[in-house]
Amino acid sequence: MTIETTNIVKVASGLRLQFEEAQDSWVLLYPEGMVKLNQSAAEILQRCDGKRDLADVIALLEKDFEQTGLQEDVMSFIEIAREQKWIKFL
Amino acid sequence: MDKISLMDNASNSVIDTDKPGPPLWLLAELTYRCPLHCAFCFNPIGFDSVKKELDTADWIRTLRQARELGSVQVGFSGGEPMLRPDLEEIVAEARTLGFYTNLLTSGVGLKPKRAKALKEAGLDHVQLSFQDSTKELNDFLSNTKTFELKREVAAMIKDNDWPMVLNCVIHRLNIDYIDKIIDLALELGAETIELANTQFYSWAKLNRDSLLPSLEQIKKAEEVTERYRDKYSDRIRIISVIPDYYEKRPKKCMNGWGNVFLTVTPDGIAVPCHTAKMLPGLEFPNVKDHSISEIWYKSEGFNRYRGKGWMKEPCRSCPEQDDDLGGCRCQAYMLTGDPAGADPVCDKSPHRSVIDDAVAIAQTGGTAEAHPLVFRDPKASQRLSAGKDGADILLPR
Ligand code: SF4
Ligand code: SF4
């Protein structure tokens, strides 16, 4: 399945996205493990709320960070997140 | 926005020895009590002498202090942690503090009502282990009671939308049925199955000659596992590691002493791993007397084998020392008498022959007939810790 900007995703069940003071970064927690996210990944995942579609996520990021042309970066991250089973498609 | 790159796995980060990172992983052994009698049980032989467990307030204080230092994963284990009536209360506090909460259970005694209460308390994950409820270890796969129980618990896990991780301790007597074990995991809809090789400490060490698989068994099991991995890669993640006795290099035990793991035993003793209490000449602090910060950063127990400063030859000048940090201190002590020596699994250790001898016994059929399995139970614990027939348990052979 290719990922479309009309897809709606959110963090998979059993996983939790949270800010860790001690790491000074956002992390994704899952059974008995954790990945530290870089800032971009964290900003994307925070906006994947299971309601907006990916086009809206991209638009929101572009607005919040006053940038354009983020689609490619976002979509390639979503691809990674899918492979890692970090997200689910609604 | 910076370029998106892959994230680093926190548990792989090497923490420099001058300034250890936080105890990311807190293992809370809530009780040694357990309705089961596993012959490979990792609880100390003398578990039955621990009568006074930490109370709810002690656990809550421990969780708060660990969280302040940066702990983020907590595992509630035992014994059987569900025997603690205050489990929900402890889980709820952990969850409120921001921990990812893992319950490590055999599932015995879990009923839908309790599962729901745990879900409401905020429990994030249940790791269900396949331990048999009978003493007939070899029959465990044909024991319908066990199957029924696991099925019921698996259904509760699904109902509560918990990720399902199954864990099965693998040994000589069940390794030939690894296909059946994976089939069951598939049938139950598990996302992950951990085929955990028996680690030879405590009860498993007593029973080692009956539990260590032969090379032939391991090879066959690896083939089967590979086949399942290929076929079901999209349905299940299969994690398996061959027993360290069959390796030439030791494991990087606990990812480094006092590096990421902090275990608190039922009576409140804080240790870098659950077997470290056996090491001679080393005091471990109790959470009733010291804060987690003092324990983690200042105690002799946590500092003694941190990093590489304690190493002797052959480890001290070894180019591979960062890969395994000299292996397991408990294994070095148990099998060679020297807790600061190289783990004897390493073929550079002058004591490698103790491993080779055990491996040789495993090729010739083990000694199950000559030495019947010793099952973990309170009576055996008392008898063995009184030293009547177990005086050599922790001593080098
Ligand atoms: S290994 Fe078996 S006997 Fe030991 S605590 Fe776990 S379930 Fe109980
Ligand atoms: S000699 Fe020590 S440090 Fe080197 S590989 Fe063996 S156990 Fe590891």
Side-chain angles (χ1 to χ4, degrees):
Chain A
M1 176 192 111
T2 45
I3 305 173
E4 308 288 344
T5 52
T6 50
N7 285 134
I8 299 174
V9 304
K10 67 182 228 183
V11 172
S13 50
L15 275 72
R16 201 159 81 225
L17 179 67
Q18 99 185 9
F19 187 77
E20 278 297 292
E21 246 15 93
Q23 317 284 331
D24 193 25
S25 69
W26 286 82
V27 299
L28 203 52
L29 300 170
Y30 52 87
E32 300 173 50
M34 161 172 105
V35 277
K36 232 173 170 170
L37 298 173
N38 64 19
Q39 203 205 335
S40 330
E43 297 294 350
I44 299 169
L45 278 182
Q46 283 175 74
R47 287 165 179 77
C48 295
D49 60 356
K51 293 183 197 105
R52 307 183 174 95
D53 66 12
L54 289 170
D56 285 349
V57 169
I58 294 161
L60 193 58
L61 283 162
E62 291 182 342
K63 180 173 147 269
D64 292 349
F65 289 88
E66 297 172 3
Q67 283 190 40
T68 52
L70 294 180
Q71 176 159 336
E72 204 183 311
D73 279 359
V74 172
M75 295 307 273
S76 59
F77 170 75
I78 294 293
E79 183 62 52
I80 293 168
R82 177 173 68 173
E83 276 164 27
Q84 300 286 331
K85 302 198 166 85
W86 292 342
I87 49 172
K88 72 171 174 202
F89 287 74
L90 300 177
Chain B
M1 218 157 68
D2 14 293
K3 182 121 182 58
I4 292 154
S5 62
L6 263 181
M7 334 317 113
D8 49 306
N9 190 329
S11 61
N12 284 337
S13 61
V14 180
I15 287 159
D16 82 63
T17 47
D18 301 338
K19 200 182 152 285
L24 291 174
W25 238 112
L26 175 68
L27 187 68
E29 293 187 325
L30 297 180
T31 180
Y32 284 142
R33 288 171 292 136
C34 185
L36 304 191
H37 310 281
C38 304
F40 46 76
C41 182
F42 42 81
N43 286 165
I45 301 283
F47 75 87
D48 193 56
S49 62
V50 174
K51 298 289 184 205
K52 218 173 160 329
E53 296 178 357
L54 291 184
D55 62 22
T56 318
D58 291 327
W59 279 117
I60 287 180
R61 189 184 60 249
T62 300
L63 287 165
R64 283 195 185 135
Q65 291 177 352
R67 183 72 186 130
E68 265 170 38
L69 286 197
S71 292
V72 63
Q73 288 278 346
V74 60
F76 297 107
S77 79
E80 176 47 69
M82 285 197 304
L83 291 178
R84 291 276 305 215
D86 55 356
L87 179 62
E88 287 84 339
E89 201 181 329
I90 296 173
V91 167
E93 177 69 19
R95 184 64 180 76
T96 307
L97 289 168
F99 276 103
Y100 190 90
T101 51
N102 304 273
L103 176 66
L104 283 61
T105 178
S106 68
V108 175
L110 186 60
K111 293 280 170 297
K113 207 171 141 209
R114 186 125 205 235
K116 192 162 164 270
L118 285 166
K119 182 72 185 186
E120 278 161 11
L123 184 65
D124 290 298
H125 159 232
V126 179
Q127 184 200 279
L128 177 61
S129 56
F130 282 45
Q131 267 102 354
D132 193 15
S133 47
T134 74
K135 287 197 170 191
E136 304 305 316
L137 195 63
N138 350 19
D139 285 354
F140 105 126
L141 286 162
S142 54
N143 188 311
T144 47
K145 246 173 66 193
T146 307
F147 276 92
E148 275 321 301
L149 170 77
K150 301 307 171 194
R151 270 200 195 97
E152 279 167 28
V153 176
M156 285 180 241
I157 292 176
K158 289 270 158 191
D159 286 349
N160 287 289
D161 204 20
W162 279 312
M164 200 193 306
V165 177
L166 299 186
N167 176 288
C168 185
V169 174
I170 301 295
H171 47 70
R172 184 179 188 90
L173 305 170
N174 66 9
I175 191 167
D176 296 331
Y177 305 100
I178 226 158
D179 50 346
K180 296 222 175 73
I181 297 170
I182 305 173
D183 281 338
L184 178 64
L186 282 164
E187 188 197 320
L188 298 180
E191 283 124 47
T192 304
I193 173 137
E194 297 172 358
L195 303 167
N197 272 289
T198 309
Q199 307 254 16
F200 295 102
Y201 304 92
S202 301
W203 299 86
K205 169 66 173 39
L206 276 183
N207 292 312
R208 185 181 66 186
D209 291 343
S210 310
L211 296 179
L212 184 64
S214 71
L215 186 58
E216 200 191 327
Q217 286 182 300
I218 289 173
K219 286 209 166 125
K220 210 186 114 216
E222 275 185 328
E223 275 168 36
V224 173
T225 309
E226 261 325 298
R227 203 167 67 231
Y228 273 87
R229 268 205 192 104
D230 287 348
K231 194 159 167 202
Y232 297 106
S233 61
D234 53 333
R235 276 180 61 191
I236 197 163
R237 198 162 59 109
I238 306 175
I239 301 175
S240 68
V241 197
I242 76 162
D244 60 350
Y245 278 48
Y246 284 93
E247 302 275 15
K248 292 193 163 44
R249 290 289 175 269
K251 56 186 182 285
K252 186 178 186 180
C253 196
M254 305 311 287
N255 221 331
W257 181 277
N259 186 12
V260 279
F261 287 95
L262 187 145
T263 295
V264 179
T265 63
D267 47 345
I269 299 174
V271 273
C273 90
H274 54 258
T275 55
K277 265 200 279 189
M278 73 163 78
L279 297 174
L282 202 50
E283 291 269 339
F284 291 105
N286 195 300
V287 298
K288 285 198 268 196
D289 311 320
H290 301 275
S291 72
I292 298 294
S293 168
E294 278 176 281
I295 289 170
W296 182 253
Y297 293 109
K298 305 238 167 73
S299 72
E300 167 66 4
F302 277 81
N303 281 319
R304 172 80 66 90
Y305 300 112
R306 222 174 218 147
K308 298 177 283 191
W310 53 271
M311 284 181 175
K312 300 178 177 176
E313 291 303 340
C315 300
R316 186 187 296 168
S317 60
C318 176
E320 295 169 76
Q321 54 182 210
D322 287 314
D323 300 343
D324 57 40
L325 291 171
C328 173
R329 298 304 85 224
C330 299
Q331 189 144 278
Y333 170 62
M334 241 178 358
L335 301 181
T336 76
D338 182 3
D343 184 326
V345 157
C346 183
D347 69 2
K348 298 184 191 179
S349 160
H351 299 283
R352 169 70 205 192
S353 63
V354 298
I355 300 290
D356 293 333
D357 292 348
V359 166
I361 291 172
Q363 309 320 306
T364 57
T367 54
E369 317 250 292
H371 305 275
L373 286 170
V374 184
F375 290 94
R376 165 225 149 106
D377 69 28
K379 279 217 180 72
S381 170
Q382 287 162 19
R383 191 180 76 235
L384 292 166
S385 41
K388 276 174 209 136
D389 57 0
D392 65 339
I393 296 168
L394 298 179
L395 299 177
R397 308 203 332 164

